[in-house]
Amino acid sequence: MNYVISNRLSAYAISINLAGRQRMLTQRMAKAVLLADTEIGQPKQLALKELAETIRLFERTLLAFYQGGTTLDGDYKPITLSASNESNIQALILPALIMWKDLKPDVDMLLTWRDKPLTTTQLRHVRNRLVAANRELLQKMDAMTSTLEQAAIANATQLRLYQRLFLIIAFINFIIIFTRLRSNIRHSIQNNATMRAIFNSIDSCILLYDKTGLIISANQAAIVLFGELKFDSTYIHDVLLSSELQMMGVTSSGHRFKAKVNHFQVVQDDQVINICTVQDVSEQHDKEQTLTRLAFHDALTGLPNRLLFYERLEHDLLHAKRNQHLLAVLFLDLDGFKQINDSLGHETGDQVLKMVAERLRSCCREDDTVARLGGDEFTMILASVQAMHNIDLVANVILKELGKGYVLNNQNLVISVSIGIALYPNDHIDASVLIKLADAAMYKAKMAGKNNYCKASELSYSVPP
């Protein structure tokens, strides 16, 4: 059952990450087509190339979700998805496929841009179609991500209920056997040996102790787990340590492990027998911790991903409201990273992203948050801002730190960053609107020449809620 739970959670974690990436790809399509419309020459060709790659990956992953198949994971390695057999998830994917099929003729024009260059009129027609569909596709991808998260929680809960049920049945079976054997001990010494054989054949670790806590018996599984037990001087609290967070088992050699413990009592001939079952869950706990980290952190940089960023932003907004503090949301997009990635390869690009993540961590305080949304897009939450000039100070520090050279393989690489800033409560009080405003401000900073920052208050329009 532990194996089934781990595999199910692992599959859901992969699906959740890919569903989140679909949302990022939807945004990247709109961004790339807008750049392709505004840029000329080589930047326009690069934007069209990025747009074509993004469309192929989005369509391939969407089809894999619906009918099963192979797509690419976060490291651009092939990964196989099974078709979802859950009706609520299929109900979300099917409308997205229908919408995508409607966009397919325009999309196919983009995929053949090398052989058949698009006219300005054609490109703007495609741009208008993709931008118009962007919001609805974003909503569907968000809904699919949330539905997958809920399904993962519900599935894990159901499996754990089955796990507990199996354990209870096993314990009831053991208690029945133990009670019957104990009643027969008085009649035959041979029955005692039989009970001991059955007792030792049970795979679960079982300890018997009296009302003082002195361990009076243990099966073979307990001896294997704890080592030698002295039944005249070893108490239950010597081998099991209780804490607020986790029950710990202690072996005879002093080694500690995470334990799952259950206690039962059996009354036989007015004598109370305490039964304790112990299971070493260290490996399962570590797997669950790893899966949790995979679900809420970016695999490449170790930074919080989009899901954890939104969760922390909501929490920090409540804290800022309660304490009447300012809060800033920063949206960062690297300038010049695409050229490094295309010319030197993804491995070099990944190393640059890791170095950028480390520099961003050094630019903020411990209670601030740095997250990677995907690609070369990062976000920051500056919690509990005391004064407006502190935001300008942080933004300038980021521009300076990220603008320093990156030495990789004896090459000095140079990139910069464009930053958009939205402020709570001055610009808005809603988390999603603050992010949209910061994103829009970032685009203005990029259009103004890159390697600078722009505040949402400087925009000539506001993003509707």
Side-chain angles (χ1 to χ4, degrees):
M1 184 57 69
N2 289 338
Y3 176 79
V4 171
I5 291 173
S6 296
N7 279 356
R8 289 282 181 88
L9 289 177
S10 179
Y12 272 113
I14 291 171
S15 297
I16 290 169
N17 279 334
L18 290 180
R21 187 183 70 183
Q22 287 294 90
R23 182 186 184 282
M24 180 270 291
L25 291 175
T26 304
Q27 293 175 313
R28 187 186 291 177
M29 276 189 278
K31 171 183 171 183
V33 77
L34 288 172
L35 288 176
D37 186 35
T38 56
E39 298 286 357
I40 59 174
Q42 184 64 18
K44 182 183 186 74
Q45 299 302 312
L46 291 174
L48 285 170
K49 180 181 178 182
E50 179 182 2
L51 182 58
E53 293 173 352
T54 302
I55 287 171
R56 290 191 185 95
L57 184 56
F58 178 87
E59 183 179 45
R60 184 175 180 181
T61 305
L62 190 63
L63 288 173
F65 268 118
Y66 182 70
Q67 63 188 20
T70 302
T71 184
L72 301 179
D73 63 11
D75 295 324
Y76 293 89
K77 296 179 181 178
I79 185 172
T80 301
L81 292 180
S82 300
S84 175
N85 56 5
E86 299 181 28
S87 58
N88 55 346
I89 295 180
Q90 288 286 339
L92 292 170
I93 300 174
L94 185 56
L97 277 172
I98 294 173
M99 178 184 294
W100 189 253
K101 184 178 180 181
D102 183 53
L103 293 170
K104 196 70 169 66
D106 296 322
V107 168
D108 287 341
M109 289 185 1
L110 291 174
L111 296 179
T112 58
W113 65 271
R114 290 182 183 274
D115 301 324
K116 300 178 180 179
L118 300 179
T119 65
T120 301
T121 301
Q122 289 175 320
L123 182 58
R124 290 188 176 175
H125 170 73
V126 176
R127 178 199 67 183
N128 293 336
R129 293 270 288 161
L130 282 178
V131 171
N134 179 260
R135 184 182 182 89
E136 189 172 350
L137 281 174
L138 279 175
Q139 292 174 345
K140 294 184 185 304
M141 295 303 101
D142 275 340
M144 185 168 69
T145 303
S146 299
T147 302
L148 284 169
E149 292 170 355
Q150 295 169 5
I153 294 171
N155 197 271
T157 301
Q158 184 181 40
L159 290 174
R160 293 193 185 283
L161 287 175
Y162 288 139
Q163 187 182 42
R164 293 189 183 98
L165 178 61
F166 295 158
L167 186 61
I168 290 171
I169 292 173
F171 287 148
I172 292 174
N173 185 50
F174 164 71
I175 290 171
I176 293 172
I177 294 173
F178 180 80
T179 303
R180 289 179 179 176
L181 287 176
R182 184 168 179 80
S183 65
N184 293 330
I185 287 176
R186 298 172 185 160
H187 306 288
S188 174
I189 297 177
Q190 183 179 3
N191 283 355
N192 185 50
T194 303
M195 184 191 72
R196 173 55 62 178
I198 296 175
F199 188 47
N200 285 329
S201 69
I202 297 175
D203 292 333
S204 298
C205 170
I206 301 173
L207 301 172
L208 307 183
Y209 59 96
D210 62 19
K211 60 182 181 181
T212 68
L214 181 67
I215 298 176
I216 57 177
S217 185
N219 68 348
Q220 187 60 36
I223 301 300
V224 172
L225 181 60
F226 288 100
E228 183 181 358
L229 295 172
K230 298 180 180 179
F231 297 128
D232 59 344
S233 60
T234 304
Y235 289 82
I236 193 70
H237 57 74
D238 294 328
V239 297
L240 294 175
L241 303 179
S242 178
S243 67
E244 294 181 0
L245 299 177
Q246 179 72 54
M247 184 71 74
M248 301 295 295
V250 183
T251 67
S252 58
S253 64
H255 171 70
R256 297 190 178 190
F257 59 89
K258 295 179 178 66
K260 182 177 181 180
V261 180
N262 289 281
H263 293 273
F264 301 89
Q265 280 190 344
V266 175
V267 179
Q268 182 68 31
D269 296 335
D270 297 328
Q271 182 181 2
V272 176
I273 301 175
N274 296 292
I275 304 174
C276 175
T277 63
V278 183
Q279 181 183 0
D280 183 353
V281 294
S282 300
E283 184 176 353
Q284 177 183 336
H285 181 269
D286 293 342
K287 285 184 178 180
E288 290 178 351
Q289 290 290 100
T290 300
L291 290 173
T292 299
R293 181 166 183 80
L294 287 175
F296 291 100
H297 288 79
D298 176 53
L300 177 65
T301 63
L303 294 176
N305 62 10
R306 181 182 63 86
L307 295 176
L308 186 54
F309 171 76
Y310 273 81
E311 180 179 312
R312 289 190 180 176
L313 179 55
E314 293 287 358
H315 175 271
D316 289 344
L317 283 173
L318 288 175
H319 185 269
K321 180 179 180 181
R322 187 182 306 114
N323 295 279
Q324 297 184 344
H325 285 161
L326 297 174
L327 179 146
V329 176
L330 279 65
F331 202 105
L332 303 91
D333 189 274
L334 301 182
D335 307 320
F337 174 77
K338 185 70 169 61
Q339 289 83 346
I340 292 175
N341 217 29
D342 291 342
S343 61
L344 301 180
H346 290 297
E347 291 186 3
T348 300
D350 288 349
Q351 292 300 316
V352 171
L353 289 175
K354 290 179 181 179
M355 296 171 73
V356 167
E358 287 301 320
R359 294 188 185 184
L360 287 176
R361 285 193 187 99
S362 69
C363 292
C364 62
R365 301 163 301 178
E366 187 173 338
D367 58 343
D368 296 332
T369 296
V370 181
R372 182 190 178 207
L373 297 189
D376 58 352
E377 294 181 340
F378 295 83
T379 51
M380 293 181 68
I381 304 170
L382 303 182
S384 302
V385 177
Q386 300 299 321
M388 292 289 292
H389 71 271
N390 290 341
I391 300 173
D392 297 291
L393 179 62
V394 173
N396 284 311
V397 169
I398 294 173
L399 291 174
K400 180 180 178 181
E401 286 299 315
L402 267 61
K404 295 178 180 178
Y406 299 79
V407 179
L408 287 172
N409 300 324
N410 297 323
Q411 295 186 71
N412 188 24
L413 308 178
V414 178
I415 60 173
S416 60
V417 63
S418 298
I419 307 172
I421 304 172
L423 192 65
Y424 167 92
N426 302 34
D427 296 322
H428 212 280
I429 62 173
D430 182 75
S432 60
V433 177
L434 286 170
I435 294 172
K436 291 176 183 177
L437 288 170
D439 191 11
M442 180 275 293
Y443 276 110
K444 182 173 181 180
K446 193 173 284 289
M447 298 301 291
K450 305 178 181 180
N451 194 29
N452 56 30
Y453 66 92
C454 175
K455 297 179 181 178
S457 59
E458 301 171 11
L459 297 173
S460 58
Y461 65 93
S462 60
V463 177

